[in-house]
Amino acid sequence: MSSYTPELSPRRELWLLLTLAGIQFTHILDFMIMMPLGPQLTQLFAITDAQFGLLVSAYTLSAGASGLLASTYIDRFGRKRLLLVLYGLFGLATLACGLAPTYGTLMVARILAGTFGGVLSALSQTIVADVVPFERRGRAMGIVMTSFSVSTVAGVPLGLILAAYGSWNLPFIAIAAMVGVLAVLAARTMPSMTAHVHAASGRTALGGIAQVLADPNHRWAFLFSALLMFTGFTVIPYITIYMQTNAGVRADQIPLAYLCGGVATLFTARLFGRLTDKRGKVPTFRWLALAAAPCLLGITLVQYLPLWGVLAVSTLMFAFVSGRMIPGMAIIASAAHAPLRGTFMTLNASVQSAAMGVASFVGGVLISRDAQGLVQNYWVAALVGISASLLSMLVVGRLTLHGATPSAR
């Protein structure tokens, strides 16, 4: 059991985990909903695909920068107070996205949303580790991490329906309203969690970061983490634009792709999780990384397929590209030296956000439009992502996983 908090009752612990899952849901959905809105935003603001890619990148790059900054102060404030302040500011920034009248103001609002939202994921995982005993921590993390699948299954399709029958602003306004409700729940369900503040009082702001970066295994883990995220995000932000312009998928059919992909991940995530424990984290990661490669390339080449074919390829892509994250995140967490895990995970969130932002920007630069408005060179963006994936399969072999036996790697 963590020394930071007294043990919660099962009922209060469950409410806390569900609240953290809800916070993760709004944070992930706020990022994901931007990508399928690409066709509407490029037309409304008369911007290029590269400028739209910059909108996606702005969120992740600012999240990366704020995560780096947060690693210097995350242990100096109570977990509850810090989460409520950051989450409230995140909600206001998301509301500003929904009210933005121009491309420039939307860009500023996305930067602010990324700045305040960038720390939420690492902070939520830290709270779980502080509150839940080790023997139940895997199940607890599973509850919190289902937010990704739920945001894909329900959040993105519902957001797109709101955008289709109202306007592009409505999904952001709806997310901001959800943030208000969940902030009240968090205030009621979370313990204060302040004991770590005293434990960190003798350490300088940069001391923990220096200790983390001094470990070569941590540096290899950060490189692996960056490659893990870079792989998918040269392609994922532009799927909707490509589907509508090249593959002829109607705007009202786009939610089907996210619905099918999200439902598939609800089932495959459990399967891949069992395989990770049974077959070993590194072999499972390498197998899933190989399986994801043709899916990433395939989604960039579906323009002559019927709708069912497009949905089949996109569903496989979502299942395997997200599936890599299960053994991948287990590997990253196991590579951290336990006394430094909090600072390491915060820095890791920063690395991942930066990698997503750079990948989104690279993808936007690589693709172009022909005279008919069709997307060109999308497959090149996929090959760049696949190259990063192959490199990650090599880098993972350099990592030491703490607590793992040779057969369990």
Side-chain angles (χ1 to χ4, degrees), residues 101-393:
T102 65
Y103 174 73
T105 52
L106 180 58
M107 177 68 77
V108 171
R110 293 309 289 164
I111 291 170
L112 290 174
T115 298
F116 300 127
V119 191
L120 292 175
S121 180
L123 187 54
S124 296
Q125 292 172 13
T126 304
I127 289 168
V128 172
D130 280 354
V131 172
V132 182
F134 177 80
E135 58 270 18
R136 295 203 308 274
R137 204 168 291 160
R139 171 185 167 273
M141 285 290 191
I143 291 173
V144 175
M145 295 305 289
T146 54
S147 53
F148 178 84
S149 292
V150 175
S151 68
T152 308
V153 171
V156 173
L158 285 174
L160 290 176
I161 290 169
L162 282 176
Y165 292 97
S167 70
W168 70 270
N169 314 69
L170 286 183
F172 294 105
I173 295 172
I175 293 169
M178 288 180 62
V179 169
V181 173
L182 287 164
V184 173
L185 262 178
R188 292 176 60 88
T189 60
M190 286 183 63
S192 58
M193 290 176 287
T194 57
H196 63 279
V197 177
H198 176 72
S201 60
R203 198 166 62 208
T204 65
L206 298 177
I209 296 176
Q211 284 182 277
V212 169
L213 296 179
D215 187 333
N217 197 55
H218 288 165
R219 297 197 295 269
W220 280 111
F222 288 144
L223 175 58
F224 171 73
S225 185
L227 293 168
L228 188 67
M229 304 309 293
F230 189 94
T231 296
F233 279 86
T234 58
V235 171
I236 292 172
Y238 308 99
I239 288 175
T240 303
I241 291 174
Y242 175 81
M243 281 186 175
Q244 289 189 222
T245 56
N246 290 47
V249 179
R250 299 195 312 268
D252 63 332
Q253 294 172 330
I254 292 295
L256 274 176
Y258 288 88
L259 180 62
C260 291
V263 169
T265 61
L266 282 175
F267 293 99
T268 57
R270 295 181 64 188
L271 171 64
F272 296 154
R274 289 197 298 269
L275 282 174
T276 297
D277 291 334
K278 186 176 180 181
R279 303 293 184 188
K281 296 173 177 59
V282 172
T284 304
F285 170 76
R286 284 175 168 159
W287 178 79
L288 289 173
L290 276 177
C295 300
L296 265 180
L297 183 60
I299 199 65
T300 69
L301 301 170
V302 296
Q303 69 182 84
Y304 300 113
L305 293 182
L307 179 62
W308 66 265
V310 174
L311 293 177
V313 175
S314 65
T315 299
L316 286 171
M317 191 276 301
F318 278 119
F320 284 109
V321 171
S322 65
R324 301 168 312 127
M325 296 299 297
I326 296 168
M329 288 306 298
I331 288 166
I332 291 165
S334 301
H337 188 47
L340 299 169
R341 188 167 288 142
T343 303
F344 173 89
M345 292 304 291
T346 310
L347 287 172
N348 180 66
S350 178
V351 168
Q352 290 188 336
S353 295
M356 286 190 290
V358 172
S360 300
F361 179 73
V362 169
V365 170
L366 289 173
I367 66 175
S368 59
R369 302 281 189 116
D370 64 13
Q372 288 76 42
L374 298 178
V375 175
Q376 303 294 309
N377 301 323
Y378 195 25
W379 62 274
V380 178
L383 290 181
V384 171
I386 291 169
S387 299
S389 184
L390 294 175
L391 187 56
S392 73
M393 293 170 63

Side-chain angles (χ1 to χ4, degrees), residues 5 8-23 83 124 127-128 130-132 143-144 185-186 188-191 193:
T5 41
L8 301 181
S9 67
R11 180 184 177 88
R12 193 176 178 197
E13 181 182 296
L14 179 60
W15 272 110
L16 172 62
L17 294 175
L18 291 174
T19 302
L20 291 175
I23 289 171
L83 182 109
S124 296
I127 289 168
V128 172
D130 280 354
V131 172
V132 182
I143 291 173
V144 175
L185 262 178
R188 292 176 60 88
T189 60
M190 286 183 63
M193 290 176 287

Side-chain angles (χ1 to χ4, degrees), residues 23-89:
I23 289 171
Q24 288 276 76
F25 171 81
T26 51
H27 167 52
I28 294 166
L29 182 57
D30 183 72
F31 170 66
M32 289 185 65
I33 196 64
M34 177 63 74
M35 293 181 280
L37 291 176
Q40 290 189 47
L41 294 175
T42 51
Q43 184 176 8
L44 176 68
F45 294 127
I47 57 176
T48 65
D49 293 332
Q51 287 175 303
F52 170 70
L54 199 56
L55 269 179
V56 178
S57 298
Y59 185 97
T60 52
L61 290 173
S62 60
S66 70
L68 188 62
L69 179 62
S71 64
T72 67
Y73 66 75
I74 194 168
D75 288 329
R76 297 178 177 275
F77 298 94
R79 307 286 192 218
K80 180 176 182 176
R81 178 185 296 180
L82 184 59
L83 182 109
L84 289 175
V85 169
L86 289 173
Y87 196 47
L89 292 171

